[in-house]
Amino acid sequence: MAASAFRTSSTLLLHFPHSSHRPSLPFPSSSASWRRCQPSVRFMSTRVSAAASSDARTLQEGIAGFYDESSGLWEDIWGDHMHHGFYDPDSDASGADHRAAQIRMIEESLRFAGLSEDPAKQPKRIVDVGCGIGGSSRYLAKKYGAKCQGITLSPVQAGRANVLAQAEGLADRASFQVADALKQPFPDGHFDLVWSMESGEHMPDKAKFVNELVRVAAPGGTIIIVTWCHRDLGPSEESLQPWEKQLLDRICNAYYLPEWCSTADYVKLLQSLSLQDIKAADWSENVAPFWPAVIRSALTWKGFTSLLRSGN
Ligand code: SAH
């Protein structure tokens, strides 16, 4: 069945459209070729050159190595979840419980997507695309009594996620493997909730990414994408400002990210796939308090520099 034939309800949640909201990160930059971060988008590219596919491989190896090395340190400080917290922009976030804010991010995402609290309508089969150490999967497996399957590029993360699921008595409901989000090892139409929490920014081909999410979604299912985007371009703009590109380059270099795109770009892509109920939101203000907390933790975190690849 073609993905575009699904009556899949797609919910898209996005934050960071405004690159100017990001702090200037004090991270060193690198010149490796796949790390180029031109925030222009090439949608629906169907032919991949040899150079592009070798860039994609290098990127995948970089992402896997980055998370293999950094996940244990991150877990020590931040626990199960490798994503932002969600905050009320009007309240004082100094002294906030950041782990609680990470759970709030999950709950706000579900609420935004309109997932019903009615047990009869709750998801039963969930895929966690870019699962980290499986924090979302375990949370959702418990919340919904659902079966979750997570994929990550990092063997260390997949192993740790399985250990944690077993330790929490969830081995029969949450399982994890190394697999590529752009080529998922799942049949068409399998999941009634497709969940991608802050993994989309790593995907070098957004069209392929979105197509795979749609392919594995069941008819009537829901897709939730929470990801980093640059701001939407104005009607007379062809690209971001040079200073914005420079800032994004630095973030790309630090976090193994390929090209960025905007929220509007994602929406256009989703619209081209005949999905229903597409919703998008900018949560930049809601996640902003998380960054100072991460930077504060880094200052007391001796091993942090090993998280960030210096120029090579
Ligand atoms: N969603 C998790 C982890 C976010 S970190 C959480 O919220 O805790 C980003 C995750 O995306 C990592 O697990 C990384 O391995 C995964 N990832 C990045 N590119 C991927 C790809 N092409 N295929 C599968 N996973 C990918």
Side-chain angles (χ1 to χ4, degrees):
M1 182 164 44
S4 56
F6 293 168
R7 295 174 62 80
T8 297
S9 152
S10 168
T11 297
L12 172 69
L13 313 172
L14 301 151
H15 56 245
F16 294 147
H18 303 293
S19 56
S20 56
H21 290 163
R22 293 298 295 266
S24 175
L25 298 172
F27 304 142
S29 55
S30 155
S31 58
S33 62
W34 62 262
R35 294 184 189 177
R36 279 187 321 251
C37 176
Q38 304 305 327
S40 65
V41 192
R42 292 166 311 191
F43 285 125
M44 316 307 276
S45 55
T46 50
R47 273 179 299 171
V48 181
S49 69
S53 89
S54 124
D55 273 3
R57 242 193 340 270
T58 310
L59 173 61
Q60 285 204 353
E61 286 165 10
I63 292 169
F66 173 79
Y67 285 108
D68 277 355
E69 280 174 33
S70 64
S71 294
L73 292 166
W74 181 271
E75 186 186 350
D76 285 348
I77 295 197
W78 291 97
D80 280 2
H81 301 281
M82 304 185 78
H83 60 78
H84 289 85
F86 187 97
Y87 304 82
D88 174 357
D90 297 326
S91 74
D92 175 15
S94 60
D97 179 343
H98 298 290
R99 290 195 188 199
Q102 288 178 307
I103 298 298
R104 208 175 311 124
M105 169 65 98
I106 296 177
E107 285 294 339
E108 285 294 327
S109 304
L110 297 171
R111 195 180 60 76
F112 185 83
L115 278 195
S116 171
E117 294 294 321
D118 174 355
K121 294 186 184 155
Q122 290 176 355
K124 301 205 169 33
R125 285 201 289 212
I126 301 174
V127 62
D128 185 355
V129 179
C131 62
I133 58 167
S136 291
S137 288
R138 288 189 299 281
Y139 185 85
L140 296 170
K142 281 187 235 167
K143 182 178 174 78
Y144 293 125
K147 198 161 179 171
C148 294
Q149 287 178 271
I151 56 173
T152 168
L153 290 178
S154 156
V156 169
Q157 285 188 329
R160 180 68 184 147
N162 282 321
V163 165
L164 289 170
Q166 194 148 29
E168 291 180 35
L170 291 169
D172 57 334
R173 274 191 282 150
S175 63
F176 303 91
Q177 61 183 299
V178 174
D180 184 2
L182 304 184
K183 219 173 168 188
Q184 296 181 32
F186 305 120
D188 294 358
H190 194 64
F191 298 101
D192 43 19
L193 175 58
V194 176
W195 177 264
S196 168
M197 175 59 73
E198 299 195 20
S199 63
E201 55 273 17
H202 284 297
M203 306 301 164
D205 185 334
K206 306 299 187 215
K208 215 170 180 180
F209 171 53
V210 169
N211 270 283
E212 264 306 79
L213 299 183
V214 173
R215 183 186 68 76
V216 299
T222 300
I223 301 169
I224 298 180
I225 306 168
V226 180
T227 190
W228 305 7
C229 288
H230 69 63
R231 67 175 174 82
D232 291 342
L233 297 180
S236 61
E237 281 184 307
E238 291 203 345
S239 69
L240 293 173
Q241 300 299 310
W243 71 268
E244 291 176 311
K245 291 184 187 179
Q246 274 169 18
L247 177 55
L248 292 186
D249 276 346
R250 296 174 71 189
I251 299 169
C252 288
N253 292 338
Y255 291 104
Y256 285 90
L257 306 179
E259 291 175 301
W260 291 55
C261 68
S262 69
T263 310
D265 293 329
Y266 260 112
V267 169
K268 222 187 297 172
L269 256 182
L270 290 163
Q271 284 169 340
S272 75
L273 296 173
S274 314
L275 300 166
Q276 293 181 336
D277 307 329
I278 298 170
K279 271 175 87 181
D282 170 5
W283 284 358
S284 305
E285 301 292 346
N286 301 95
V287 303
F290 194 70
W291 279 95
V294 170
I295 289 167
R296 266 197 310 278
S297 79
L299 297 176
T300 59
W301 185 4
K302 289 199 172 58
F304 185 75
T305 46
S306 70
L307 291 181
L308 304 167
R309 297 290 300 253
S310 53
N312 53 18

